[in-house]
Amino acid sequence: RLRARLRWRMALMGVRFRRNVAMAEEEGVRLCTVRIDEPRTDGFGPNRHTSYRICSTIATNEAANETRTHSFESRKRFSEFPALREALRVFLPGIELPALPDKSVPNRLAPEIVELRRGSLELFLQHLLDHPLLATADELAAFLGWPEERLAQLRAPLFSRAKSCYQTPASRQRLAMAR
């Protein structure tokens, strides 16, 4: 019974999440943005791999009417993305995560394949950052290279967004579920 209740809550949050993302895209306002660029191929022979520079930006409210943005960079290989996805699946087992591009692709180091992967990985990370609960995960913060000593300050707007998303006015289904 509790599992069914949890699944129903997650489904309701998914509907609200998609609505909130659509509104954020229309308004052009996001708390976090991510950009992946500068693909670099390293190694020699069968050990060749591509790494990508990840630039993430977080908007925080420093004062009453002042918004400040913080930018962070990290470099990750493609093989680190499935590990992040698995860690997030364990963190929130009921949430549907976006798919990643295939790992084994013929001619994976060709510029057009690298560019397609780059775009897919950027959409993957932006989807995670747009989600009210996934954006608060420690695993995602570590992956994006957010400093631990400032993590509470940086994630404060993310936690308030998650709280407000969950405390939206109750629908008939939620009222029926609470009975």
Side-chain angles (χ1 to χ4, degrees):
R1 184 169 169 89
L2 288 175
R3 282 187 186 172
R5 217 179 249 186
L6 179 64
R7 273 191 236 120
W8 187 251
R9 284 183 182 165
M10 293 292 204
L12 288 173
M13 286 185 70
V15 169
R16 283 190 216 106
F17 162 66
R18 286 188 286 278
R19 184 185 66 226
N20 291 343
V21 168
M23 287 170 48
E25 287 175 352
E26 285 175 13
E27 297 170 3
V29 178
R30 284 191 160 131
L31 286 176
C32 299
T33 57
V34 68
R35 188 180 78 247
I36 297 180
D37 56 8
E38 292 185 19
R40 183 174 70 200
T41 302
D42 298 321
F44 180 75
N47 293 331
R48 290 182 69 187
H49 61 274
T50 303
S51 63
Y52 302 89
R53 185 179 75 154
I54 303 170
C55 302
S56 59
T57 306
I58 308 171
T60 59
N61 294 329
E62 299 293 323
N65 292 329
E66 182 183 332
T67 302
R68 185 168 177 213
T69 59
H70 306 273
S71 297
F72 303 98
E73 290 184 12
S74 63
R75 185 162 280 282
K76 300 291 180 183
R77 293 175 60 168
F78 178 80
S79 60
E80 295 175 73
F81 283 85
L84 170 67
R85 189 175 190 279
E86 181 60 25
L88 292 174
R89 190 188 64 74
V90 170
F91 174 66
L92 284 171
I95 295 208
E96 184 179 327
L97 295 170
L100 286 169
D102 290 333
K103 180 171 174 66
S104 53
V105 177
N107 202 7
R108 64 185 165 85
L109 300 175
E112 56 274 359
I113 301 294
V114 169
E115 181 58 28
L116 282 172
R117 272 188 173 178
R118 185 207 60 77
S120 297
L121 295 174
E122 187 174 302
L123 287 174
F124 171 77
L125 286 178
Q126 189 62 58
H127 181 86
L128 297 180
L129 289 172
D130 285 341
H131 195 284
L133 294 178
L134 290 173
T136 63
D138 292 336
E139 295 85 352
L140 184 58
F143 186 83
L144 294 174
W146 297 351
E148 282 192 38
E149 61 274 1
R150 296 178 52 209
L151 208 51
Q153 173 199 8
L154 294 172
R155 292 195 309 184
L158 299 174
F159 281 118
S160 65
R161 178 182 66 177
K163 185 178 177 184
S164 68
C165 225
Y166 189 70
Q167 292 178 345
T168 55
S171 64
R172 288 185 196 160
Q173 292 92 352
R174 272 189 78 191
L175 288 173
M177 185 174 66
R179 290 184 201 154

